[in-house]
Amino acid sequence: MTPEAQILLTRRMPPPAERLLRDAGLRVDAVENDAPLPPAELLRRVRGVSGLICSLSEPVDTAVLEAAGPSLRVVANFAVGVDNIDVPACTACGVRVTNTPDILTDATADLTWALILATARRVVEGDRHVRSGEWKGWTPTESLGVELTGATLGIVGAGRIGTAVGLRSRGFGMRVLYVHPRANATLESDVGAERVDLDRLLRESDILTLHVPMTQENHHLIDRARLARMKPTAILINTARGPIVDEVALLEALRENRIDSAGLDVFEHEPRLSAGLSELANVVLLPHVGSATTRTRAAMSRMAAENVIAVLTDRPPPNPVN
Ligand code: GLV
């Protein structure tokens, strides 16, 4: 490792990344800002760095790679999804890309369940109603929701997070269907899940939850035609990536009650929402907080730093993407 090696941290990050990097003898340029680094500022600050720890809101494309120059050896994403990074371009430049898998699986699965329960039982709507002062007391007909016991949970993408979401359904006695390129032995043995095609999952799910990565193929995987195949009583949950769902088509389906409701932690054009989405009562909106627990974010910080240090000391990174 060259003594002058410098690392850019594009966002304010929880400890211990900065300390670990400094302890390893690296110079650190840590952006003290919670907002995404504006593209021009990123191009300026990345010049001559050996490593970059970035977040999912900073695109790392050829312009960034060119601005960094030949000193750049590693891009450590502070996220498991790497759709903000042009991985083939990094590979072509000999730059390692790493991410933060596994450690955020439980936090993200928990948050998925928070959205499932919040939408099914209309938790946010109820909270608003009570706060508004308009609640007149208990009634037999108000705020009726969807019962989870015996309902069908449809998991699109049974990787780490999809599996963890499925395993958590045990407490609710749900039937579980999943779509995945391969059989998932854990889901099949532990919750009796059945692997089906997407069409059947769309038709039979009461709760449909998305856990696929954002790739070109998965762009608008849930489009107008597929939304139309869902039950009018179904709930759609997205804690993966916004562009997996055609947000305008979803908005129309929600507005016309063609599905019951949606729970969204991610949006097609974050942080902007499609016009009208925030006015709907049958959607719960969260600010992309799947991994946002104190413990998980600290583990992500450590993992990102460890990946950078490994590459700069000529060791294989623990969490390689390329
Ligand atoms: C968050 O969305 C992540 O990919 O880690």
Side-chain angles (χ1 to χ4, degrees):
M1 184 160 63
T2 48
E4 68 277 14
Q6 169 137 336
I7 312 303
L8 173 63
L9 263 67
T10 61
R11 301 291 288 267
R12 179 181 298 148
M13 289 190 190
E18 193 174 337
R19 179 182 57 75
L20 293 177
L21 295 168
R22 290 193 199 281
D23 287 354
L26 295 159
R27 287 189 298 130
V28 179
D29 176 17
V31 174
E32 275 308 313
N33 199 341
D34 263 338
L37 204 55
E41 176 80 355
L42 176 59
L43 293 182
R44 191 181 65 73
R45 285 174 88 149
V46 81
R47 206 165 299 141
V49 302
S50 304
L52 177 64
I53 298 185
C54 56
S55 77
L56 52 87
S57 16
E58 288 101 32
V60 177
D61 51 17
T62 45
V64 172
L65 296 173
E66 275 166 23
S71 57
L72 185 64
R73 295 183 60 197
V74 54
V75 174
N77 215 28
F78 188 86
V80 65
V82 289
D83 46 294
N84 57 310
I85 299 176
D86 186 340
V87 179
C90 288
T91 308
C93 296
V95 173
R96 295 305 297 263
V97 178
T98 67
N99 66 345
T100 57
D102 298 315
I103 47 173
L104 47 64
T105 298
D106 286 323
T108 308
D110 289 351
L111 198 273
T112 303
W113 274 92
L115 278 175
I116 292 174
L117 286 160
T119 47
R121 300 307 301 273
R122 303 171 63 171
V123 170
V124 177
E125 215 184 314
D127 175 84
R128 279 197 213 111
H129 185 48
V130 173
R131 284 171 201 267
S132 73
E134 279 162 26
W135 182 46
K136 303 283 183 295
W138 189 87
T139 85
T141 55
E142 198 175 67
S143 286
L144 304 188
V146 172
E147 185 132 344
L148 295 182
T149 305
T152 297
L153 175 69
I155 301 172
V156 181
R160 286 176 287 245
I161 297 172
T163 302
V165 168
L167 291 177
R168 280 160 172 73
S169 73
R170 278 179 293 203
F172 293 93
M174 297 177 82
R175 171 177 172 247
V176 180
L177 303 178
Y178 72 99
V179 170
H180 198 66
R182 292 171 303 285
N184 182 314
T186 307
L187 278 184
E188 295 193 6
S189 65
D190 290 21
V191 293
E194 188 185 350
R195 184 165 161 247
V196 295
D197 62 25
L198 183 56
D199 252 14
R200 186 166 154 212
L201 186 124
L202 289 163
R203 276 189 277 110
E204 295 187 19
S205 297
D206 297 300
I207 315 283
L208 194 156
T209 183
L210 301 172
H211 302 287
V212 287
M214 182 53 215
T215 58
Q216 244 167 24
E217 279 152 37
N218 289 337
H219 182 261
H220 286 189
L221 177 71
I222 304 298
D223 58 8
R224 186 168 277 108
R226 289 196 168 124
L227 284 164
R229 273 177 235 151
M230 291 174 67
K231 295 183 184 183
T233 50
I235 297 174
L236 177 71
I237 304 292
N238 190 4
T239 58
R241 284 290 183 271
I244 295 167
V245 178
D246 178 341
E247 198 167 282
V248 171
L250 174 63
L251 184 97
E252 285 168 15
L254 290 168
R255 191 179 273 147
E256 294 162 18
N257 295 312
R258 283 189 271 111
I259 64 169
D260 179 85
S261 50
L264 307 175
D265 183 43
V266 290
F267 304 91
E268 194 162 353
H269 307 287
E270 289 178 21
R272 190 163 61 71
L273 305 187
S274 294
L277 192 61
S278 62
E279 280 126 54
L280 299 178
N282 56 347
V283 61
V284 176
L285 310 170
L286 291 180
H288 202 149
V289 286
S291 66
T293 69
T294 308
R295 187 169 76 189
T296 290
R297 288 284 166 87
M300 290 165 71
S301 173
R302 171 177 293 278
M303 192 176 257
E306 286 173 351
N307 277 295
V308 167
I309 293 165
V311 173
L312 296 185
T313 50
D314 300 317
R315 286 177 293 121
N319 311 99
V321 170
N322 63 353

